[in-house]
Amino acid sequence: MERPDDAQARRQAIIDRMLAEALHPSVNERSRSHDALSDDMRRTVDTLIAKAEAQRQRSLTYDDLEEALPPRDVTAEDLEAIFWILSEHGIAIEDGDQTGD
């Protein structure tokens, strides 16, 4: 049985891989489409974009991402698509508190 931290560890491994791949953009020739996402993933992306715009920031935290994700188990492909679409909007997901508290 999975522990609650296992899902976070899987997501972090995906995020780490994607960040490493971002350093070598020639390898990343695929384009993600907002329209190809499921309804709940589109809402997640829309929520994150709206939050970044409302805060007038180009980065959000992993907590922001976790809050926006649907309650179901999110696939690696879903996370990858979210990161690609956000990056197309100039938005990054980073460690830390973006509110300055």
Side-chain angles (χ1 to χ4, degrees):
M1 180 179 289
E2 286 189 20
R3 296 176 310 194
D5 291 343
D6 289 345
Q8 177 63 28
R10 284 193 323 271
R11 289 179 180 162
Q12 188 62 48
I14 293 165
I15 291 165
D16 291 343
R17 177 182 53 83
M18 290 175 17
L19 290 172
E21 289 174 356
L23 297 174
H24 307 286
S26 62
V27 176
N28 303 315
E29 297 178 6
R30 296 179 289 176
S31 176
R32 304 294 183 252
S33 171
H34 187 269
D35 295 333
L37 295 175
S38 63
D39 288 342
D40 59 349
M41 286 295 109
R42 271 197 306 273
R43 281 190 298 275
T44 296
V45 170
D46 292 343
T47 298
L48 292 167
I49 291 170
K51 184 168 190 160
E53 289 174 354
Q55 294 176 351
R56 296 182 182 172
Q57 295 193 13
R58 297 287 76 191
S59 63
L60 298 170
T61 65
Y62 289 121
D63 288 340
D64 294 327
L65 174 62
E66 288 291 329
E67 289 172 9
L69 289 173
R72 69 176 172 87
D73 190 22
V74 177
T75 68
E77 292 80 16
D78 289 336
L79 280 176
E80 191 170 6
I82 289 169
F83 274 81
W84 277 108
I85 293 167
L86 290 177
S87 70
E88 289 174 351
H89 288 271
I91 300 168
I93 302 290
E94 301 175 344
D95 283 327
D97 181 10
Q98 299 299 321
T99 62
D101 290 342

PDB file of all heavy atoms in Angstrom, residues 51-90:
ATOM      1  N   LYS A  51      -4.295  32.316 -11.494  1.00  0.00           N
ATOM      2  CA  LYS A  51      -3.632  32.671 -10.236  1.00  0.00           C
ATOM      3  C   LYS A  51      -2.353  33.454 -10.507  1.00  0.00           C
ATOM      4  O   LYS A  51      -2.088  34.461  -9.847  1.00  0.00           O
ATOM      5  CB  LYS A  51      -3.325  31.417  -9.422  1.00  0.00           C
ATOM      6  CG  LYS A  51      -2.738  31.732  -8.070  1.00  0.00           C
ATOM      7  CD  LYS A  51      -2.711  30.528  -7.159  1.00  0.00           C
ATOM      8  CE  LYS A  51      -2.335  30.994  -5.761  1.00  0.00           C
ATOM      9  NZ  LYS A  51      -2.732  30.038  -4.761  1.00  0.00           N
ATOM     10  N   ALA A  52      -1.563  33.016 -11.469  1.00  0.00           N
ATOM     11  CA  ALA A  52      -0.323  33.726 -11.808  1.00  0.00           C
ATOM     12  C   ALA A  52      -0.636  35.136 -12.299  1.00  0.00           C
ATOM     13  O   ALA A  52       0.045  36.104 -11.926  1.00  0.00           O
ATOM     14  CB  ALA A  52       0.465  32.945 -12.851  1.00  0.00           C
ATOM     15  N   GLU A  53      -1.662  35.261 -13.131  1.00  0.00           N
ATOM     16  CA  GLU A  53      -2.042  36.576 -13.647  1.00  0.00           C
ATOM     17  C   GLU A  53      -2.560  37.477 -12.529  1.00  0.00           C
ATOM     18  O   GLU A  53      -2.220  38.661 -12.472  1.00  0.00           O
ATOM     19  CB  GLU A  53      -3.076  36.436 -14.757  1.00  0.00           C
ATOM     20  CG  GLU A  53      -2.503  35.866 -16.027  1.00  0.00           C
ATOM     21  CD  GLU A  53      -3.542  35.577 -17.099  1.00  0.00           C
ATOM     22  OE1 GLU A  53      -4.768  35.716 -16.832  1.00  0.00           O
ATOM     23  OE2 GLU A  53      -3.129  35.194 -18.208  1.00  0.00           O
ATOM     24  N   ALA A  54      -3.362  36.929 -11.628  1.00  0.00           N
ATOM     25  CA  ALA A  54      -3.901  37.716 -10.518  1.00  0.00           C
ATOM     26  C   ALA A  54      -2.797  38.201  -9.589  1.00  0.00           C
ATOM     27  O   ALA A  54      -2.859  39.312  -9.064  1.00  0.00           O
ATOM     28  CB  ALA A  54      -4.926  36.892  -9.739  1.00  0.00           C
ATOM     29  N   GLN A  55      -1.774  37.357  -9.405  1.00  0.00           N
ATOM     30  CA  GLN A  55      -0.663  37.723  -8.537  1.00  0.00           C
ATOM     31  C   GLN A  55       0.417  38.509  -9.284  1.00  0.00           C
ATOM     32  O   GLN A  55       1.382  38.947  -8.688  1.00  0.00           O
ATOM     33  CB  GLN A  55      -0.034  36.466  -7.929  1.00  0.00           C
ATOM     34  CG  GLN A  55      -0.936  35.736  -6.983  1.00  0.00           C
ATOM     35  CD  GLN A  55      -0.317  34.443  -6.469  1.00  0.00           C
ATOM     36  OE1 GLN A  55       0.724  33.985  -6.926  1.00  0.00           O
ATOM     37  NE2 GLN A  55      -0.973  33.845  -5.495  1.00  0.00           N
ATOM     38  N   ARG A  56       0.227  38.633 -10.599  1.00  0.00           N
ATOM     39  CA  ARG A  56       1.190  39.314 -11.467  1.00  0.00           C
ATOM     40  C   ARG A  56       2.589  38.740 -11.289  1.00  0.00           C
ATOM     41  O   ARG A  56       3.574  39.450 -11.133  1.00  0.00           O
ATOM     42  CB  ARG A  56       1.178  40.816 -11.216  1.00  0.00           C
ATOM     43  CG  ARG A  56      -0.140  41.429 -11.569  1.00  0.00           C
ATOM     44  CD  ARG A  56      -0.162  42.886 -11.380  1.00  0.00           C
ATOM     45  NE  ARG A  56      -1.507  43.345 -11.711  1.00  0.00           N
ATOM     46  CZ  ARG A  56      -1.912  44.552 -11.501  1.00  0.00           C
ATOM     47  NH1 ARG A  56      -1.110  45.439 -10.985  1.00  0.00           N
ATOM     48  NH2 ARG A  56      -3.135  44.891 -11.814  1.00  0.00           N
ATOM     49  N   GLN A  57       2.643  37.405 -11.325  1.00  0.00           N
ATOM     50  CA  GLN A  57       3.901  36.700 -11.169  1.00  0.00           C
ATOM     51  C   GLN A  57       4.082  35.715 -12.305  1.00  0.00           C
ATOM     52  O   GLN A  57       3.124  35.274 -12.925  1.00  0.00           O
ATOM     53  CB  GLN A  57       3.930  35.946  -9.834  1.00  0.00           C
ATOM     54  CG  GLN A  57       3.896  36.881  -8.657  1.00  0.00           C
ATOM     55  CD  GLN A  57       4.226  36.179  -7.371  1.00  0.00           C
ATOM     56  OE1 GLN A  57       4.706  35.046  -7.378  1.00  0.00           O
ATOM     57  NE2 GLN A  57       3.994  36.838  -6.267  1.00  0.00           N
ATOM     58  N   ARG A  58       5.308  35.371 -12.549  1.00  0.00           N
ATOM     59  CA  ARG A  58       5.638  34.408 -13.592  1.00  0.00           C
ATOM     60  C   ARG A  58       6.008  33.057 -13.001  1.00  0.00           C
ATOM     61  O   ARG A  58       6.482  32.179 -13.708  1.00  0.00           O
ATOM     62  CB  ARG A  58       6.804  34.915 -14.455  1.00  0.00           C
ATOM     63  CG  ARG A  58       6.491  36.185 -15.204  1.00  0.00           C
ATOM     64  CD  ARG A  58       5.537  36.004 -16.378  1.00  0.00           C
ATOM     65  NE  ARG A  58       4.152  35.831 -15.942  1.00  0.00           N
ATOM     66  CZ  ARG A  58       3.148  35.450 -16.695  1.00  0.00           C
ATOM     67  NH1 ARG A  58       3.327  35.213 -17.956  1.00  0.00           N
ATOM     68  NH2 ARG A  58       1.944  35.303 -16.230  1.00  0.00           N
ATOM     69  N   SER A  59       5.799  32.904 -11.708  1.00  0.00           N
ATOM     70  CA  SER A  59       6.058  31.610 -11.094  1.00  0.00           C
ATOM     71  C   SER A  59       5.035  31.350  -9.994  1.00  0.00           C
ATOM     72  O   SER A  59       4.506  32.273  -9.386  1.00  0.00           O
ATOM     73  CB  SER A  59       7.474  31.538 -10.529  1.00  0.00           C
ATOM     74  OG  SER A  59       7.645  32.478  -9.494  1.00  0.00           O
ATOM     75  N   LEU A  60       4.772  30.067  -9.779  1.00  0.00           N
ATOM     76  CA  LEU A  60       3.884  29.600  -8.731  1.00  0.00           C
ATOM     77  C   LEU A  60       4.642  28.555  -7.928  1.00  0.00           C
ATOM     78  O   LEU A  60       5.685  28.068  -8.356  1.00  0.00           O
ATOM     79  CB  LEU A  60       2.615  28.987  -9.337  1.00  0.00           C
ATOM     80  CG  LEU A  60       1.747  29.933 -10.155  1.00  0.00           C
ATOM     81  CD1 LEU A  60       0.672  29.153 -10.907  1.00  0.00           C
ATOM     82  CD2 LEU A  60       1.116  30.993  -9.265  1.00  0.00           C
ATOM     83  N   THR A  61       4.103  28.177  -6.793  1.00  0.00           N
ATOM     84  CA  THR A  61       4.769  27.180  -5.956  1.00  0.00           C
ATOM     85  C   THR A  61       4.188  25.790  -6.220  1.00  0.00           C
ATOM     86  O   THR A  61       3.125  25.641  -6.823  1.00  0.00           O
ATOM     87  CB  THR A  61       4.583  27.503  -4.461  1.00  0.00           C
ATOM     88  OG1 THR A  61       3.195  27.394  -4.134  1.00  0.00           O
ATOM     89  CG2 THR A  61       5.086  28.906  -4.121  1.00  0.00           C
ATOM     90  N   TYR A  62       4.894  24.787  -5.724  1.00  0.00           N
ATOM     91  CA  TYR A  62       4.379  23.419  -5.799  1.00  0.00           C
ATOM     92  C   TYR A  62       3.079  23.322  -5.015  1.00  0.00           C
ATOM     93  O   TYR A  62       2.192  22.551  -5.380  1.00  0.00           O
ATOM     94  CB  TYR A  62       5.402  22.419  -5.254  1.00  0.00           C
ATOM     95  CG  TYR A  62       6.601  22.247  -6.161  1.00  0.00           C
ATOM     96  CD1 TYR A  62       7.881  22.518  -5.707  1.00  0.00           C
ATOM     97  CD2 TYR A  62       6.454  21.806  -7.472  1.00  0.00           C
ATOM     98  CE1 TYR A  62       8.977  22.361  -6.531  1.00  0.00           C
ATOM     99  CE2 TYR A  62       7.540  21.648  -8.301  1.00  0.00           C
ATOM    100  CZ  TYR A  62       8.809  21.927  -7.818  1.00  0.00           C
ATOM    101  OH  TYR A  62       9.881  21.767  -8.643  1.00  0.00           O
ATOM    102  N   ASP A  63       2.945  24.098  -3.940  1.00  0.00           N
ATOM    103  CA  ASP A  63       1.690  24.104  -3.182  1.00  0.00           C
ATOM    104  C   ASP A  63       0.539  24.607  -4.048  1.00  0.00           C
ATOM    105  O   ASP A  63      -0.572  24.080  -3.982  1.00  0.00           O
ATOM    106  CB  ASP A  63       1.815  24.972  -1.922  1.00  0.00           C
ATOM    107  CG  ASP A  63       2.676  24.332  -0.863  1.00  0.00           C
ATOM    108  OD1 ASP A  63       2.870  23.099  -0.892  1.00  0.00           O
ATOM    109  OD2 ASP A  63       3.176  25.069   0.015  1.00  0.00           O
ATOM    110  N   ASP A  64       0.813  25.642  -4.852  1.00  0.00           N
ATOM    111  CA  ASP A  64      -0.218  26.137  -5.771  1.00  0.00           C
ATOM    112  C   ASP A  64      -0.649  25.031  -6.727  1.00  0.00           C
ATOM    113  O   ASP A  64      -1.834  24.853  -6.994  1.00  0.00           O
ATOM    114  CB  ASP A  64       0.307  27.327  -6.586  1.00  0.00           C
ATOM    115  CG  ASP A  64       0.596  28.550  -5.743  1.00  0.00           C
ATOM    116  OD1 ASP A  64      -0.108  28.766  -4.736  1.00  0.00           O
ATOM    117  OD2 ASP A  64       1.538  29.294  -6.101  1.00  0.00           O
ATOM    118  N   LEU A  65       0.337  24.295  -7.242  1.00  0.00           N
ATOM    119  CA  LEU A  65       0.044  23.186  -8.149  1.00  0.00           C
ATOM    120  C   LEU A  65      -0.791  22.125  -7.442  1.00  0.00           C
ATOM    121  O   LEU A  65      -1.817  21.676  -7.968  1.00  0.00           O
ATOM    122  CB  LEU A  65       1.340  22.577  -8.685  1.00  0.00           C
ATOM    123  CG  LEU A  65       1.192  21.317  -9.546  1.00  0.00           C
ATOM    124  CD1 LEU A  65       0.396  21.604 -10.811  1.00  0.00           C
ATOM    125  CD2 LEU A  65       2.556  20.734  -9.868  1.00  0.00           C
ATOM    126  N   GLU A  66      -0.376  21.726  -6.251  1.00  0.00           N
ATOM    127  CA  GLU A  66      -1.108  20.697  -5.498  1.00  0.00           C
ATOM    128  C   GLU A  66      -2.548  21.120  -5.228  1.00  0.00           C
ATOM    129  O   GLU A  66      -3.463  20.310  -5.339  1.00  0.00           O
ATOM    130  CB  GLU A  66      -0.400  20.389  -4.173  1.00  0.00           C
ATOM    131  CG  GLU A  66       0.889  19.625  -4.321  1.00  0.00           C
ATOM    132  CD  GLU A  66       0.682  18.188  -4.787  1.00  0.00           C
ATOM    133  OE1 GLU A  66      -0.363  17.586  -4.465  1.00  0.00           O
ATOM    134  OE2 GLU A  66       1.574  17.679  -5.473  1.00  0.00           O
ATOM    135  N   GLU A  67      -2.753  22.394  -4.890  1.00  0.00           N
ATOM    136  CA  GLU A  67      -4.102  22.886  -4.613  1.00  0.00           C
ATOM    137  C   GLU A  67      -4.987  22.857  -5.855  1.00  0.00           C
ATOM    138  O   GLU A  67      -6.186  22.653  -5.760  1.00  0.00           O
ATOM    139  CB  GLU A  67      -4.044  24.319  -4.075  1.00  0.00           C
ATOM    140  CG  GLU A  67      -3.487  24.423  -2.688  1.00  0.00           C
ATOM    141  CD  GLU A  67      -3.270  25.866  -2.254  1.00  0.00           C
ATOM    142  OE1 GLU A  67      -3.714  26.793  -2.966  1.00  0.00           O
ATOM    143  OE2 GLU A  67      -2.630  26.063  -1.217  1.00  0.00           O
ATOM    144  N   ALA A  68      -4.396  23.077  -7.025  1.00  0.00           N
ATOM    145  CA  ALA A  68      -5.170  23.145  -8.261  1.00  0.00           C
ATOM    146  C   ALA A  68      -5.473  21.773  -8.857  1.00  0.00           C
ATOM    147  O   ALA A  68      -6.418  21.637  -9.632  1.00  0.00           O
ATOM    148  CB  ALA A  68      -4.425  23.999  -9.289  1.00  0.00           C
ATOM    149  N   LEU A  69      -4.678  20.769  -8.503  1.00  0.00           N
ATOM    150  CA  LEU A  69      -4.868  19.441  -9.091  1.00  0.00           C
ATOM    151  C   LEU A  69      -6.186  18.820  -8.637  1.00  0.00           C
ATOM    152  O   LEU A  69      -6.622  19.022  -7.510  1.00  0.00           O
ATOM    153  CB  LEU A  69      -3.708  18.515  -8.705  1.00  0.00           C
ATOM    154  CG  LEU A  69      -2.367  18.828  -9.356  1.00  0.00           C
ATOM    155  CD1 LEU A  69      -1.272  17.956  -8.753  1.00  0.00           C
ATOM    156  CD2 LEU A  69      -2.430  18.637 -10.863  1.00  0.00           C
ATOM    157  N   PRO A  70      -6.805  18.047  -9.502  1.00  0.00           N
ATOM    158  CA  PRO A  70      -8.054  17.373  -9.124  1.00  0.00           C
ATOM    159  C   PRO A  70      -7.774  16.285  -8.088  1.00  0.00           C
ATOM    160  O   PRO A  70      -6.624  15.859  -7.925  1.00  0.00           O
ATOM    161  CB  PRO A  70      -8.537  16.770 -10.448  1.00  0.00           C
ATOM    162  CG  PRO A  70      -7.312  16.612 -11.268  1.00  0.00           C
ATOM    163  CD  PRO A  70      -6.390  17.722 -10.868  1.00  0.00           C
ATOM    164  N   PRO A  71      -8.811  15.812  -7.401  1.00  0.00           N
ATOM    165  CA  PRO A  71      -8.621  14.814  -6.340  1.00  0.00           C
ATOM    166  C   PRO A  71      -8.209  13.434  -6.850  1.00  0.00           C
ATOM    167  O   PRO A  71      -7.779  12.599  -6.075  1.00  0.00           O
ATOM    168  CB  PRO A  71      -9.981  14.757  -5.640  1.00  0.00           C
ATOM    169  CG  PRO A  71     -10.954  15.320  -6.615  1.00  0.00           C
ATOM    170  CD  PRO A  71     -10.196  16.271  -7.489  1.00  0.00           C
ATOM    171  N   ARG A  72      -8.295  13.198  -8.133  1.00  0.00           N
ATOM    172  CA  ARG A  72      -7.920  11.878  -8.663  1.00  0.00           C
ATOM    173  C   ARG A  72      -6.395  11.749  -8.745  1.00  0.00           C
ATOM    174  O   ARG A  72      -5.667  12.730  -8.629  1.00  0.00           O
ATOM    175  CB  ARG A  72      -8.540  11.669 -10.038  1.00  0.00           C
ATOM    176  CG  ARG A  72      -7.956  12.549 -11.124  1.00  0.00           C
ATOM    177  CD  ARG A  72      -8.556  12.199 -12.481  1.00  0.00           C
ATOM    178  NE  ARG A  72      -8.186  13.103 -13.523  1.00  0.00           N
ATOM    179  CZ  ARG A  72      -7.078  12.999 -14.262  1.00  0.00           C
ATOM    180  NH1 ARG A  72      -6.202  12.051 -14.031  1.00  0.00           N
ATOM    181  NH2 ARG A  72      -6.837  13.864 -15.221  1.00  0.00           N
ATOM    182  N   ASP A  73      -5.916  10.531  -8.979  1.00  0.00           N
ATOM    183  CA  ASP A  73      -4.492  10.297  -9.173  1.00  0.00           C
ATOM    184  C   ASP A  73      -4.104  10.876 -10.526  1.00  0.00           C
ATOM    185  O   ASP A  73      -4.643  10.478 -11.556  1.00  0.00           O
ATOM    186  CB  ASP A  73      -4.180   8.803  -9.108  1.00  0.00           C
ATOM    187  CG  ASP A  73      -2.696   8.511  -9.063  1.00  0.00           C
ATOM    188  OD1 ASP A  73      -1.923   9.416  -8.672  1.00  0.00           O
ATOM    189  OD2 ASP A  73      -2.300   7.392  -9.426  1.00  0.00           O
ATOM    190  N   VAL A  74      -3.191  11.816 -10.531  1.00  0.00           N
ATOM    191  CA  VAL A  74      -2.784  12.504 -11.745  1.00  0.00           C
ATOM    192  C   VAL A  74      -1.648  11.719 -12.402  1.00  0.00           C
ATOM    193  O   VAL A  74      -0.702  11.308 -11.746  1.00  0.00           O
ATOM    194  CB  VAL A  74      -2.326  13.940 -11.408  1.00  0.00           C
ATOM    195  CG1 VAL A  74      -1.826  14.664 -12.637  1.00  0.00           C
ATOM    196  CG2 VAL A  74      -3.468  14.707 -10.751  1.00  0.00           C
ATOM    197  N   THR A  75      -1.752  11.522 -13.705  1.00  0.00           N
ATOM    198  CA  THR A  75      -0.741  10.748 -14.415  1.00  0.00           C
ATOM    199  C   THR A  75       0.490  11.595 -14.721  1.00  0.00           C
ATOM    200  O   THR A  75       0.439  12.828 -14.689  1.00  0.00           O
ATOM    201  CB  THR A  75      -1.294  10.207 -15.752  1.00  0.00           C
ATOM    202  OG1 THR A  75      -1.519  11.322 -16.634  1.00  0.00           O
ATOM    203  CG2 THR A  75      -2.573   9.408 -15.553  1.00  0.00           C
ATOM    204  N   ALA A  76       1.574  10.919 -15.042  1.00  0.00           N
ATOM    205  CA  ALA A  76       2.798  11.606 -15.435  1.00  0.00           C
ATOM    206  C   ALA A  76       2.551  12.451 -16.684  1.00  0.00           C
ATOM    207  O   ALA A  76       3.062  13.569 -16.800  1.00  0.00           O
ATOM    208  CB  ALA A  76       3.910  10.585 -15.691  1.00  0.00           C
ATOM    209  N   GLU A  77       1.763  11.930 -17.600  1.00  0.00           N
ATOM    210  CA  GLU A  77       1.447  12.665 -18.823  1.00  0.00           C
ATOM    211  C   GLU A  77       0.661  13.935 -18.517  1.00  0.00           C
ATOM    212  O   GLU A  77       0.877  14.972 -19.141  1.00  0.00           O
ATOM    213  CB  GLU A  77       0.677  11.776 -19.808  1.00  0.00           C
ATOM    214  CG  GLU A  77       1.502  10.648 -20.386  1.00  0.00           C
ATOM    215  CD  GLU A  77       1.641   9.447 -19.440  1.00  0.00           C
ATOM    216  OE1 GLU A  77       0.857   9.337 -18.456  1.00  0.00           O
ATOM    217  OE2 GLU A  77       2.548   8.646 -19.671  1.00  0.00           O
ATOM    218  N   ASP A  78      -0.264  13.853 -17.556  1.00  0.00           N
ATOM    219  CA  ASP A  78      -1.024  15.037 -17.154  1.00  0.00           C
ATOM    220  C   ASP A  78      -0.088  16.111 -16.612  1.00  0.00           C
ATOM    221  O   ASP A  78      -0.164  17.276 -17.002  1.00  0.00           O
ATOM    222  CB  ASP A  78      -2.056  14.698 -16.066  1.00  0.00           C
ATOM    223  CG  ASP A  78      -3.231  13.880 -16.562  1.00  0.00           C
ATOM    224  OD1 ASP A  78      -3.529  13.926 -17.776  1.00  0.00           O
ATOM    225  OD2 ASP A  78      -3.851  13.192 -15.736  1.00  0.00           O
ATOM    226  N   LEU A  79       0.791  15.719 -15.702  1.00  0.00           N
ATOM    227  CA  LEU A  79       1.731  16.683 -15.117  1.00  0.00           C
ATOM    228  C   LEU A  79       2.645  17.281 -16.171  1.00  0.00           C
ATOM    229  O   LEU A  79       2.899  18.491 -16.178  1.00  0.00           O
ATOM    230  CB  LEU A  79       2.570  16.021 -14.021  1.00  0.00           C
ATOM    231  CG  LEU A  79       1.914  15.861 -12.670  1.00  0.00           C
ATOM    232  CD1 LEU A  79       2.823  15.097 -11.727  1.00  0.00           C
ATOM    233  CD2 LEU A  79       1.552  17.205 -12.075  1.00  0.00           C
ATOM    234  N   GLU A  80       3.123  16.446 -17.055  1.00  0.00           N
ATOM    235  CA  GLU A  80       4.009  16.933 -18.109  1.00  0.00           C
ATOM    236  C   GLU A  80       3.288  17.952 -18.988  1.00  0.00           C
ATOM    237  O   GLU A  80       3.832  19.006 -19.318  1.00  0.00           O
ATOM    238  CB  GLU A  80       4.521  15.765 -18.944  1.00  0.00           C
ATOM    239  CG  GLU A  80       5.628  16.148 -19.886  1.00  0.00           C
ATOM    240  CD  GLU A  80       6.288  14.949 -20.531  1.00  0.00           C
ATOM    241  OE1 GLU A  80       5.817  13.806 -20.343  1.00  0.00           O
ATOM    242  OE2 GLU A  80       7.282  15.158 -21.230  1.00  0.00           O
ATOM    243  N   ALA A  81       2.044  17.658 -19.336  1.00  0.00           N
ATOM    244  CA  ALA A  81       1.257  18.577 -20.161  1.00  0.00           C
ATOM    245  C   ALA A  81       1.024  19.897 -19.422  1.00  0.00           C
ATOM    246  O   ALA A  81       1.136  20.978 -20.021  1.00  0.00           O
ATOM    247  CB  ALA A  81      -0.068  17.934 -20.544  1.00  0.00           C
ATOM    248  N   ILE A  82       0.719  19.819 -18.139  1.00  0.00           N
ATOM    249  CA  ILE A  82       0.507  21.036 -17.351  1.00  0.00           C
ATOM    250  C   ILE A  82       1.758  21.907 -17.386  1.00  0.00           C
ATOM    251  O   ILE A  82       1.692  23.112 -17.633  1.00  0.00           O
ATOM    252  CB  ILE A  82       0.114  20.682 -15.897  1.00  0.00           C
ATOM    253  CG1 ILE A  82      -1.300  20.116 -15.850  1.00  0.00           C
ATOM    254  CG2 ILE A  82       0.222  21.916 -14.996  1.00  0.00           C
ATOM    255  CD1 ILE A  82      -1.671  19.498 -14.511  1.00  0.00           C
ATOM    256  N   PHE A  83       2.923  21.295 -17.149  1.00  0.00           N
ATOM    257  CA  PHE A  83       4.162  22.067 -17.134  1.00  0.00           C
ATOM    258  C   PHE A  83       4.468  22.679 -18.499  1.00  0.00           C
ATOM    259  O   PHE A  83       4.916  23.823 -18.587  1.00  0.00           O
ATOM    260  CB  PHE A  83       5.326  21.204 -16.656  1.00  0.00           C
ATOM    261  CG  PHE A  83       5.455  21.184 -15.164  1.00  0.00           C
ATOM    262  CD1 PHE A  83       4.661  20.345 -14.406  1.00  0.00           C
ATOM    263  CD2 PHE A  83       6.352  22.005 -14.518  1.00  0.00           C
ATOM    264  CE1 PHE A  83       4.753  20.329 -13.034  1.00  0.00           C
ATOM    265  CE2 PHE A  83       6.459  22.000 -13.134  1.00  0.00           C
ATOM    266  CZ  PHE A  83       5.664  21.158 -12.391  1.00  0.00           C
ATOM    267  N   TRP A  84       4.224  21.931 -19.568  1.00  0.00           N
ATOM    268  CA  TRP A  84       4.481  22.463 -20.910  1.00  0.00           C
ATOM    269  C   TRP A  84       3.565  23.633 -21.213  1.00  0.00           C
ATOM    270  O   TRP A  84       4.000  24.658 -21.734  1.00  0.00           O
ATOM    271  CB  TRP A  84       4.308  21.372 -21.968  1.00  0.00           C
ATOM    272  CG  TRP A  84       5.527  20.534 -22.105  1.00  0.00           C
ATOM    273  CD1 TRP A  84       5.686  19.254 -21.699  1.00  0.00           C
ATOM    274  CD2 TRP A  84       6.785  20.920 -22.679  1.00  0.00           C
ATOM    275  NE1 TRP A  84       6.962  18.821 -21.977  1.00  0.00           N
ATOM    276  CE2 TRP A  84       7.647  19.817 -22.577  1.00  0.00           C
ATOM    277  CE3 TRP A  84       7.250  22.100 -23.262  1.00  0.00           C
ATOM    278  CZ2 TRP A  84       8.953  19.860 -23.047  1.00  0.00           C
ATOM    279  CZ3 TRP A  84       8.556  22.129 -23.732  1.00  0.00           C
ATOM    280  CH2 TRP A  84       9.391  21.027 -23.620  1.00  0.00           C
ATOM    281  N   ILE A  85       2.303  23.496 -20.917  1.00  0.00           N
ATOM    282  CA  ILE A  85       1.354  24.565 -21.211  1.00  0.00           C
ATOM    283  C   ILE A  85       1.670  25.796 -20.379  1.00  0.00           C
ATOM    284  O   ILE A  85       1.666  26.924 -20.889  1.00  0.00           O
ATOM    285  CB  ILE A  85      -0.096  24.085 -21.011  1.00  0.00           C
ATOM    286  CG1 ILE A  85      -0.428  23.024 -22.061  1.00  0.00           C
ATOM    287  CG2 ILE A  85      -1.074  25.256 -21.080  1.00  0.00           C
ATOM    288  CD1 ILE A  85      -1.698  22.260 -21.784  1.00  0.00           C
ATOM    289  N   LEU A  86       1.967  25.601 -19.097  1.00  0.00           N
ATOM    290  CA  LEU A  86       2.334  26.745 -18.263  1.00  0.00           C
ATOM    291  C   LEU A  86       3.590  27.424 -18.798  1.00  0.00           C
ATOM    292  O   LEU A  86       3.669  28.660 -18.828  1.00  0.00           O
ATOM    293  CB  LEU A  86       2.541  26.310 -16.806  1.00  0.00           C
ATOM    294  CG  LEU A  86       1.279  25.902 -16.048  1.00  0.00           C
ATOM    295  CD1 LEU A  86       1.633  25.424 -14.646  1.00  0.00           C
ATOM    296  CD2 LEU A  86       0.269  27.038 -15.988  1.00  0.00           C
ATOM    297  N   SER A  87       4.563  26.634 -19.229  1.00  0.00           N
ATOM    298  CA  SER A  87       5.801  27.230 -19.748  1.00  0.00           C
ATOM    299  C   SER A  87       5.526  28.026 -21.022  1.00  0.00           C
ATOM    300  O   SER A  87       6.174  29.053 -21.260  1.00  0.00           O
ATOM    301  CB  SER A  87       6.868  26.164 -19.991  1.00  0.00           C
ATOM    302  OG  SER A  87       6.532  25.352 -21.086  1.00  0.00           O
ATOM    303  N   GLU A  88       4.571  27.585 -21.828  1.00  0.00           N
ATOM    304  CA  GLU A  88       4.195  28.346 -23.017  1.00  0.00           C
ATOM    305  C   GLU A  88       3.608  29.705 -22.647  1.00  0.00           C
ATOM    306  O   GLU A  88       3.659  30.643 -23.432  1.00  0.00           O
ATOM    307  CB  GLU A  88       3.201  27.553 -23.865  1.00  0.00           C
ATOM    308  CG  GLU A  88       3.825  26.367 -24.557  1.00  0.00           C
ATOM    309  CD  GLU A  88       2.811  25.486 -25.279  1.00  0.00           C
ATOM    310  OE1 GLU A  88       1.591  25.701 -25.100  1.00  0.00           O
ATOM    311  OE2 GLU A  88       3.246  24.579 -26.004  1.00  0.00           O
ATOM    312  N   HIS A  89       3.058  29.804 -21.438  1.00  0.00           N
ATOM    313  CA  HIS A  89       2.519  31.063 -20.927  1.00  0.00           C
ATOM    314  C   HIS A  89       3.550  31.814 -20.095  1.00  0.00           C
ATOM    315  O   HIS A  89       3.225  32.840 -19.484  1.00  0.00           O
ATOM    316  CB  HIS A  89       1.263  30.803 -20.082  1.00  0.00           C
ATOM    317  CG  HIS A  89       0.084  30.398 -20.901  1.00  0.00           C
ATOM    318  ND1 HIS A  89      -0.801  31.302 -21.449  1.00  0.00           N
ATOM    319  CD2 HIS A  89      -0.346  29.177 -21.302  1.00  0.00           C
ATOM    320  CE1 HIS A  89      -1.729  30.660 -22.128  1.00  0.00           C
ATOM    321  NE2 HIS A  89      -1.472  29.369 -22.058  1.00  0.00           N
ATOM    322  N   GLY A  90       4.770  31.298 -20.043  1.00  0.00           N
ATOM    323  CA  GLY A  90       5.837  31.951 -19.286  1.00  0.00           C
ATOM    324  C   GLY A  90       5.720  31.777 -17.788  1.00  0.00           C
ATOM    325  O   GLY A  90       6.230  32.582 -17.019  1.00  0.00           O
TER     326      GLY A  90
END
